[in-house]
Amino acid sequence: MDSSDASSFRPRQFDLIVFDWDGTLYDSTALIVRCIQAACADLQLPIPSRVDAAYVIGLGLHDALAHVAPTLPKERVPELGMRYRHHYFQRSHELSLFEGSLDLLSALKSRHHWLAVATGKTRAGLNEALENVALRGVFDATRTADETQSKPHPLMLQELMAEFGISPERTLMIGDTTHDLQLAVNAGTHSVAVSYGAHEPAAFANYPTRFVAHSVAELRQWLTQHA
């Protein structure tokens, strides 16, 4: 019996595994940053740095754009959002999952974990992304920022846990930003961080993460052994 076979007989520690989308499963961080910068340029606003633009990834779009454009009147934030969407949807067909993500999700499904997504994307945006990478039906539930509270408010995770009747102790949140990790703290769940997305991994030290994965392969190995 090889190690992968043996792992299928280990008791599960987590019944529900919740993934962030952008920067965790979906290789979209660089495009999102460029689109935020382009939208700001369109409205002749100060253009945020890559670090500042990447920081807001994971928040709901309104909150994210209000943060990167603090001088913009609140009533004009939707206008900035329209420009962001214009740039994003022109290039979104170029995006793909991080290499190894499909195999990772398949391995978790074979162990009968509930799988979910908690994302700052809109429902329309997530549905389009899932269609693009043929992941419709892989996740047992999803939550987006326009249908519940934006991260790091705990409601996204609370709704997912309630849907399956899973306790916080049996739930794992996986994400690439401090917003994801604070979401887990606020909801009382465990968390794992990935370092290949939007936020610098040094920021993760302030959170009680179970593990920091530096690649999808490392994430899969940890989940095989510990999830």
Side-chain angles (χ1 to χ4, degrees):
M1 180 184 297
D2 64 26
S3 59
S4 61
D5 291 334
S7 70
S8 64
F9 292 97
R10 295 192 184 113
R12 283 200 311 264
Q13 181 172 351
F14 303 111
D15 298 312
L16 173 61
I17 300 179
V18 184
F19 290 89
D20 169 61
W21 184 252
D22 290 305
T24 300
L25 292 174
Y26 207 44
D27 190 4
S28 52
T29 298
L31 177 60
I32 292 172
V33 166
R34 291 196 299 271
C35 292
I36 289 173
Q37 292 171 328
C40 289
D42 289 347
L43 271 60
Q44 298 184 322
L45 296 166
I47 298 175
S49 68
R50 182 217 169 271
V51 171
D52 288 342
Y55 174 78
V56 302
I57 295 176
L59 300 177
L61 183 60
H62 184 280
D63 293 345
L65 295 179
H67 188 278
V68 297
T71 62
L72 187 69
K74 290 182 180 179
E75 62 270 18
R76 294 194 65 194
V77 173
E79 182 183 353
L80 184 59
M82 290 178 63
R83 297 310 302 162
Y84 168 81
R85 291 187 184 95
H86 167 77
H87 292 290
Y88 183 85
F89 287 117
Q90 280 191 326
R91 304 288 298 274
S92 62
H93 64 280
E94 301 173 7
L95 299 176
S96 64
L97 292 168
F98 285 108
E99 184 177 356
S101 294
L102 280 174
D103 290 340
L104 165 65
L105 295 170
S106 177
L108 293 173
K109 292 288 280 189
S110 72
R111 294 187 61 187
H112 307 294
H113 296 279
W114 295 113
L115 300 183
V117 170
T119 177
K121 298 183 83 66
T122 62
R123 170 53 57 192
L126 178 62
N127 285 350
E128 181 183 44
L130 291 172
E131 290 284 3
N132 285 346
V133 295
L135 281 183
R136 281 281 198 169
V138 170
F139 296 102
D140 301 293
T142 58
R143 287 295 187 280
T144 60
D146 60 336
E147 61 191 11
T148 184
Q149 291 285 342
S150 180
K151 299 172 186 177
H153 192 285
L155 189 59
M156 273 190 188
L157 280 182
Q158 290 169 342
E159 289 179 350
L160 290 167
M161 290 186 289
E163 183 167 338
F164 298 105
I166 305 299
S167 68
E169 294 77 16
R170 303 284 298 180
T171 301
L172 179 67
M173 177 71 206
I174 302 174
D176 67 310
T177 71
T178 56
H179 312 307
D180 300 311
L181 304 184
Q182 187 62 53
L183 168 65
V185 170
N186 292 346
T189 73
H190 298 274
S191 67
V192 163
V194 301
S195 69
Y196 48 80
H199 284 194
E200 294 298 323
F204 302 155
N206 297 322
Y207 297 87
T209 57
R210 296 287 302 274
F211 182 66
V212 177
H214 300 294
S215 66
V216 174
E218 280 192 12
L219 178 61
R220 179 178 178 179
Q221 182 178 25
W222 188 90
L223 290 171
T224 299
Q225 295 173 351
H226 302 283

